[in-house]
Amino acid sequence: MRPVYLDHHATTPCAPEVVDALVPWLRERFGNAASTHAHGSLAAAAADRAREQVAAAVGREADEVVFTSGATEADNLAVLGVAATHRVPGHLISTAVEHSAIRASLDHLEREGWRITRLQPGPDGRIVVDEALRALRPDTALVSVMTANHELGTLQPVRELARACRERGALFHTDAAQALGKVDLRGLDADLVSLSAHKAYGPQGIGALVVRRRGRPRVALQPRMLGGGQERGLRSGTLPVALVVGFGAAARLALRGLDEGEPARLAALRDDLLARLRALGGVHVHGTLTHRLPHSLNLRFDGVVAGELLSRIRGEVSCSVGSACASGRVAPSPVLKAIGLTDEEALGAVRLGLGRETTAQDVERAAAAFSHVVTELRAARVDRVAALR
Ligand SMILES: *Cc1c(COP(=O)(O)O)cnc(C)c1O
């Protein structure tokens, strides 16, 4: 039996409908969407349809979608692209728990002389809207706060932030890579939105930056990629039509899932999993359970190191630990440190993400595997401690 896949924050399988939609564009319907002959026009029309589907998922217009290679590139384009329109370094507001695509972009700008405010979340994982607004300055070029955290699964108050930034004339960007299909993004009044197809049952290697084109203030953006001037000059490079079509299909499915109550189904399964794990005792959930992606859990078991847990449970469950292996040594995640966990607590963190194909049987099987391994590891620890005495 294959392990139960509980790592949907890392990537999701392509939905069968997505594969069916994109394969013809790798086979007989090849063509460069920029070409003016029949093959090209056919590809361009398919890309336009996909552009509408992606726009619809965030309640926007097709001409606001800039296709990129993923959310990493969209994040870079948003932060570095806005900054590049300023002749002198200014000020940026973000959080201490952003994805590395944002954190690294901010670090880069800081070295160039930009001032960065990194808002600290509470133990619940959320920042406070008023703190963000108090940090605004006349030279604040952009506020960037993610919709949903990739490790904790916790949601930021982005609707209020977007509205408040609009009222104050500040540009607002949100990385919504984890949110697509789990949270309704329509009506979110952000100036810039980063998306990734492969976090929402689309193919890897495609995403978008949605750039507002109507209303005030105008969103000025400098491209990071220079070349043929595709995507209104904001992202040069031949459109990967098959990936774009796949992303469109995934976006359509994301909306359908929201309408059909997929988030509630996931939340019920997730809550069942948590209840089963809590029966082990000594279980701590990281971040709020109230404002959270429906499929998501981040927790630790007293007396258990996540790395050991992961290597023992590999055959039964695929999941992630809250640490990164940086140059051969295990480092606790900066996100978990930012919400106040000690190094030891952070090294105990396990991230679980259920998905569209997860069943009640999967949850039962995963919970049984966790019970078995956690009990074993705790017993081994007690033995080790006894041997030391
Ligand atoms: C996965 C992820 C990214 C990076 O997306 P890619 O498409 O893999 O480049 C950025 N931000 C968040 C929050 C993510 O979860």
Side-chain angles (χ1 to χ4, degrees), residues 51-200:
R51 204 180 287 285
E52 278 165 23
Q53 290 169 325
V54 171
V58 285
R60 304 297 275 273
E61 303 290 332
D63 65 0
E64 297 178 300
V65 174
V66 176
F67 286 116
T68 63
S69 61
T72 298
E73 189 189 332
D75 284 348
N76 275 256
L77 177 57
V79 173
L80 303 176
V82 166
T85 64
H86 291 256
R87 263 178 302 121
V88 288
H91 172 239
L92 295 161
I93 300 174
S94 188
T95 80
V97 292
E98 297 298 306
H99 188 271
S100 52
I102 292 288
R103 281 192 287 117
S105 296
L106 295 173
D107 293 350
H108 173 78
L109 289 175
E110 198 166 39
R111 288 191 294 272
E112 312 249 287
W114 284 74
R115 263 89 53 198
I116 317 287
T117 300
R118 294 177 182 83
L119 301 164
Q120 293 294 329
D124 61 354
R126 283 161 64 86
I127 60 147
V128 177
V129 174
D130 278 343
E131 269 179 42
L133 301 182
R134 272 201 302 277
L136 281 173
R137 309 188 332 195
D139 65 340
T140 303
L142 183 71
V143 179
S144 177
V145 176
M146 68 199 327
T147 303
N149 191 270
H150 50 297
E151 286 185 43
L152 295 166
T154 47
L155 303 173
Q156 297 291 6
V158 286
R159 278 181 185 262
E160 294 139 81
L161 275 167
R163 211 178 307 121
C165 284
R166 165 86 65 248
E167 282 165 15
R168 288 159 179 80
L171 287 185
F172 181 72
H173 165 252
T174 189
D175 176 346
Q178 289 291 342
L180 181 61
K182 279 114 196 166
V183 174
D184 197 342
L185 296 167
R186 292 169 292 187
L188 170 64
D189 194 15
D191 300 295
L192 297 149
V193 182
S194 297
L195 299 171
S196 174
H198 78 94
K199 304 291 176 72

Side-chain angles (χ1 to χ4, degrees), residues 155 178-186 201 252-272 289-290 292-296 353-358:
L155 303 173
Q178 289 291 342
L180 181 61
K182 279 114 196 166
V183 174
D184 197 342
L185 296 167
R186 292 169 292 187
Y201 306 93
R252 187 172 50 83
L253 290 176
L255 274 191
R256 198 173 78 193
L258 287 180
D259 292 342
E260 290 176 354
E262 175 67 0
R265 186 192 75 89
L266 285 169
L269 280 181
R270 186 268 316 269
D271 293 345
D272 179 38
L289 274 172
T290 316
R292 181 183 288 262
L293 292 169
H295 68 309
S296 181
L354 289 66
R356 197 176 274 160
E357 74 289 356
T358 310

